Amino acid sequence: MTLICAVIAADTPAAAEAMKVEALSAGAEAFEVRLDAFAEIPDDFSFLPTEKPVIATLRSELDEERREIFAKALASGAAYVDIESDSVLRGVFPKSQVICSYHDFTKTPAAWDILRIFRDLSSSGVPKAAFMVRGPADLLEIWKAAVVLKQSGDPFILIGMGAAGEVTRIRAADIGSMVSYCAVRPEFASAPGQITVAEAARLGDDPIITAITGWPLEHTRSPQMHNAAFRASGIRGRYVRIPSTAEELPLLPEVLRCYRIRGANVTIPHKQTVMPLLSEVLPEAKSAGAVNTILVDPSGRLTGTNTDIAGISATIADLRITPSNARVLVAGAGGAARAAVSCLTAAGAAVSVTNRTMEKARTLAAEFGATAVPRDELCAGYDLIINATPAGMSGFSQDIPVPVSILTPDTAVFDMVYEPEMTPLLAAAGDAGVRAAVCGKAMLIAQAAASFTLWTGIEADAAAMTAAFGGSP
């Protein structure tokens, strides 16, 4: 059984007592008291919350001072003291009262190296190691090591740090960790990727997990929206980030299966390259030539579909454009552009495609019966202009993907970029007096709601998702 361990990081005994009470009411089953957070370590250790197992932690280079403090903590009822793997205090206290810890804040080593580290740590107490997770490969190494560690039946603590490591905390019971360290409140998190006590208690040992993969993922708002939808529906679920480079994308299916992830969204730049990795691709995704949503069934079979189409249709409807016979320009030739072209040509629109690499534009246009037009040959006259490139997105080129001269009062502009909500294209559209202009927010919410329903069988609370769009996960 994995215990929810509340991290108490307070600067006074009174503050520690208040955090203890708050953590207990939220569902804490154990405590780590960070003595190094105190402004001055008190002589009286009666503040230790001994009604639950307590781990006393003090990070300091003053080992002789720590020896006395740790001894006092154990005498005052602490179940364990946390001693680092490179400390001279290793071996000073009984193994049964020590958690021997190791941290790597830059990477996760191979499973065999993790096991070597744990063999060393276990000679001094309960072994604990935390590694920074960067993507699918690191998640799989942690999983492989956990499979071996569980076979011994001895207690251990294994943690993946960072946003990409959050899934290891949520699946701590599957991994076999003795405790899962949790913050009393988000602002008190003591390590990257740590969830709160209340969230851990809400999720329990067997929550639904969904995810997003892509590269990079720093600016995605999907976790905010999906986690709001989980809470609004009363489902014990959590949506996490699994950033993946192109090189590690082939490992994604195994990660989804190992960590029992119900489904995943796929974003830039993997919507097309993920398709060969799946067991099945549904017709709407085949037509669009891109997958943005994966559903994992209980047997581990992965099915790909495309809810971007639903998001695009909803946004176009909001712009009061009837696709049939509408003149539409799509900038881009990637997965999002394919979804737009597929959706619009099927609805009878006259679609033109432009792209920085015109060969890709011509290939896309030919596939759907559209017209490829080089940027320098574009003229005014479109009813709708859609930007399906990353141009304008935070971290990407801030160029305007179409000539400003084609932005007219008779044109509507739909920029699929949602971060930031005001892009260079939308600013130029405003200056040109276009009749309507929207960012990708509405599309993102609509496709997210469709994905949520596929994974859970429950209609998503679109209002909750919309309210969470600008909030915190």
Side-chain angles (χ1 to χ4, degrees), residues 403-467:
V404 174
S405 60
I406 69 171
L407 303 173
T408 72
D410 296 322
T411 301
V413 175
F414 169 22
D415 193 336
M416 289 187 180
V417 171
Y418 61 88
E419 176 62 50
E421 293 185 39
M422 177 55 68
T423 64
L425 172 60
L426 292 178
D431 292 341
V434 300
R435 70 173 185 82
V438 295
C439 70
K441 177 179 177 178
M443 174 188 168
L444 185 72
I445 293 168
Q447 65 80 27
S451 295
F452 183 90
T453 300
L454 283 174
W455 296 326
T456 66
I458 294 174
E459 186 174 351
D461 187 328
M465 285 185 148
T466 301

Side-chain angles (χ1 to χ4, degrees), residues 286-313:
K286 284 182 180 178
S287 175
V291 162
N292 84 312
T293 301
I294 300 170
L295 180 65
V296 186
D297 72 16
S299 71
R301 181 178 173 81
L302 275 61
T303 300
T305 187
N306 193 309
T307 64
D308 279 340
I309 295 171
I312 291 166
S313 297

Side-chain angles (χ1 to χ4, degrees), residues 50-61:
T50 53
E51 58 266 57
K52 302 284 186 182
V54 171
I55 303 164
T57 300
L58 175 60
R59 305 295 183 213
S60 171
E61 297 179 358

Side-chain angles (χ1 to χ4, degrees), residues 90 164-165 382:
R90 282 186 67 170
Y382 292 105

Side-chain angles (χ1 to χ4, degrees), residues 5-232:
C5 183
V7 179
I8 305 297
D11 57 0
T12 66
E17 175 66 23
M19 288 184 73
K20 177 200 79 171
V21 171
E22 184 177 346
L24 281 171
S25 66
E29 300 165 326
F31 296 94
E32 181 192 36
V33 178
R34 293 299 302 253
L35 298 173
D36 42 16
F38 280 87
E40 183 176 345
I41 296 176
D43 293 328
D44 182 3
F45 273 31
S46 61
F47 63 87
L48 289 179
T50 53
E51 58 266 57
K52 302 284 186 182
V54 171
I55 303 164
T57 300
L58 175 60
R59 305 295 183 213
S60 171
E61 297 179 358
L62 303 176
D63 281 320
E64 286 308 310
E65 180 184 11
R66 286 202 303 165
R67 183 198 299 260
E68 296 179 11
I69 294 170
F70 281 148
K72 184 184 293 186
L74 290 171
S76 299
Y80 301 96
V81 292
D82 185 310
I83 296 174
E84 304 89 339
S85 61
D86 58 353
S87 171
V88 297
L89 294 181
R90 282 186 67 170
V92 169
F93 300 99
K95 283 180 59 175
S96 61
Q97 294 180 304
V98 171
I99 290 175
C100 192
S101 61
Y102 176 93
H103 293 77
D104 189 327
F105 291 97
T106 61
K107 67 183 185 305
T108 296
W112 65 266
D113 203 13
I114 294 175
L115 294 172
R116 178 191 60 77
I117 291 168
F118 270 83
R119 282 193 296 271
D120 172 60
L121 298 174
S122 63
S123 66
S124 301
V126 175
K128 167 195 167 186
F131 304 100
M132 182 59 67
V133 172
R134 298 158 296 182
D138 291 346
L139 287 172
L140 290 178
E141 294 305 321
I142 286 176
W143 188 264
K144 292 173 191 174
V147 168
V148 176
L149 290 169
K150 285 191 290 186
Q151 292 173 355
S152 72
D154 296 326
F156 67 90
I157 304 168
L158 176 56
I159 304 164
M161 295 186 290
E166 182 182 321
V167 69
T168 69
R169 298 177 184 272
I170 299 167
R171 285 285 185 246
D174 284 13
I175 286 172
S177 284
M178 182 177 80
V179 301
S180 177
Y181 293 91
C182 299
V184 178
R185 291 185 225 151
E187 61 268 29
F188 295 150
S190 61
Q194 207 172 73
I195 64 174
T196 64
V197 172
E199 180 71 349
R202 183 185 74 83
L203 293 174
D205 286 341
D206 191 25
I208 292 173
I209 299 180
T210 55
I212 183 167
T213 193
W215 189 269
L217 290 180
E218 285 84 359
H219 299 290
T220 180
R221 304 221 190 153
S222 293
Q224 290 96 312
M225 294 190 298
H226 281 274
N227 287 326
F230 275 131
R231 289 189 290 268

Side-chain angles (χ1 to χ4, degrees), residues 329-331 354 375 378 385-386 400-407 425:
L329 172 66
V330 176
T354 192
R375 174 177 167 141
L378 291 171
I385 296 172
I386 300 176
I400 297 174
V402 298
V404 174
S405 60
I406 69 171
L407 303 173
L425 172 60

